[in-house]
Amino acid sequence: MSARPARIFIDGEAGTTGLGIRDLLSGLAGVELVSIDPARRKDAGAKRELMAGVDLVVLCLHDEAARESVALADGLPGGGPRIVDASTAHRVAPSWVYGFPELVPEQASAVAASRRVANPGCYPTGGIALLRPLVDAGLLPADYPVAVHAVSGYSGGGRTMIEAYEAGTAPAFELYGLGLEHKHLPELQQYSRLARRPIFVPSVGNFRQGMLVQIALHLDLLKGQPRPGDLEAALAARYAGCEFVSVVPTEPGGKLEAEALNDSNRLELRVYGNEARGQAVLVARLDNLGKGASGAAVQNIRLMLGLGA
């Protein structure tokens, strides 16, 4: 007799991320999706009862609601089901594993063994992927004054922003987070291993999904004054053999658009450099709804349930 499928409850399945996760899981062998009666989705007793009968819960909620759901699960016998939290609530919590399996060589195993996994933010996924290997390799000082600029499709901005863009009432492009207190900053700093708090300036464009994250570096301020090729080599060494993260060789000049990886869980990293000027720009490209949200969550779920990466 074959083993029963793993039962999964998506708490908040009607939102953009929840719908994406449900769609990706719906055709996956070994998984059974369980839903709560929409009329009882805010009923703590009904939710607790449902959680008691599943293997894994995915939280696609605002931070406070996510904390409330985790408290319900923690109160169940044996600590309740395993959890993947797509909110910001637990991303830097010491008792949670950060759900970026490519972060360091042992991270995928840590995700697979964990009962509590925090799904990364979309912007930090790109920024950390670029920065962490350089810090670990000693090429980028931890106290380097890092500034991260990024642009995303409007689908990552929540219901109000999505409705404004789809109604044609939103601007073609806008910066936001200019109070320099964006909610993604703590994880960006912590998992990049930066000692100095980075500056982060996000923006949104009039396209539904897709993302570019860029970091400019003055190479004469880095240890040993590396060449652009040295940075690219360090990234390539970290992600060698990774299924979803790749380092793409670049040519001088050129252009890069944001939407090429839409509907995928892929992440591309590039180093654009001017060796004569001692300057480089690191760029990460991903789908903010894929590797930046639903795709990453499903990758973590597969690892936690032993279904492969």
Side-chain angles (χ1 to χ4, degrees):
M1 182 180 294
S2 61
R4 69 166 179 84
R7 305 185 80 227
I8 298 176
F9 167 45
I10 305 172
D11 193 358
E13 66 179 0
T16 303
T17 299
L19 289 170
I21 293 171
R22 185 175 186 85
D23 183 59
L24 290 170
L25 289 176
S26 61
L28 185 62
V31 165
E32 176 188 350
L33 296 175
V34 178
S35 296
I36 195 168
D37 181 343
R40 304 187 69 192
R41 63 186 179 85
K42 295 187 178 181
D43 182 331
K47 187 179 291 188
R48 184 186 299 109
E49 181 180 351
L50 191 152
M51 285 184 173
V54 301
D55 300 289
L56 187 144
V57 173
V58 187
L59 303 179
C60 300
L61 305 166
H62 294 298
D63 287 6
E64 188 54 42
R67 294 186 185 98
E68 291 172 358
S69 287
V70 170
L72 287 176
D74 287 345
L76 292 169
R82 303 174 82 177
I83 296 176
V84 174
D85 183 8
S87 81
T88 315
H90 300 99
R91 288 181 184 160
V92 294
S95 58
W96 287 65
V97 169
Y98 193 58
F100 182 22
E102 298 87 0
L103 177 68
V104 290
E106 62 272 18
Q107 196 70 12
S109 296
V111 170
S114 179
R115 295 189 57 78
R116 300 287 185 264
V117 172
N119 216 50
C122 50
Y123 290 120
T125 295
I128 293 165
L130 292 167
L131 292 166
R132 178 64 179 266
L134 303 185
V135 174
D136 286 349
L139 294 173
L140 183 71
D143 63 351
Y144 186 90
V146 169
V148 179
H149 295 260
V151 60
S152 173
Y154 59 78
S155 57
R159 180 176 58 84
T160 301
M161 180 179 286
I162 292 172
E163 290 177 351
Y165 271 96
E166 293 188 345
T169 59
F173 178 88
E174 59 184 334
L175 300 177
Y176 64 100
L178 294 175
L180 305 183
E181 292 288 352
H182 195 279
K183 65 180 181 179
H184 286 162
L185 272 164
E187 63 183 295
L188 177 61
Q189 180 175 3
Q190 178 166 311
Y191 296 108
S192 297
R193 297 183 64 194
L194 297 175
R196 182 191 297 267
R197 186 176 185 272
I199 293 173
F200 173 50
V201 183
S203 60
V204 60
N206 190 15
F207 53 98
R208 179 170 175 78
Q209 62 195 90
M211 173 172 286
L212 296 173
V213 180
Q214 52 193 311
I215 302 167
L217 299 176
H218 292 274
L219 302 182
D220 62 328
L221 299 180
L222 304 185
K223 185 177 180 179
Q225 299 186 2
R227 300 171 299 171
D230 298 324
L231 305 181
E232 184 178 291
L235 294 175
R238 169 58 56 87
Y239 301 111
C242 288
E243 179 180 358
F244 299 113
V245 182
S246 59
V247 179
V248 181
T250 60
E251 297 293 335
K255 299 178 180 180
L256 192 65
E257 55 94 5
E259 300 175 275
L261 299 183
N262 284 2
D263 301 315
S264 82
N265 193 47
R266 292 167 55 206
L267 169 63
E268 292 180 346
L269 308 176
R270 290 172 169 81
V271 178
Y272 293 93
N274 185 320
E275 191 168 338
R277 300 293 186 181
Q279 296 175 329
V281 176
L282 315 177
V283 184
R285 177 162 65 180
L286 65 156
D287 179 2
N288 60 292
L289 298 182
K291 187 61 169 168
S294 303
V298 172
Q299 183 182 356
N300 288 321
I301 291 165
R302 291 172 66 101
L303 286 168
M304 294 169 76
L305 297 178
L307 301 175

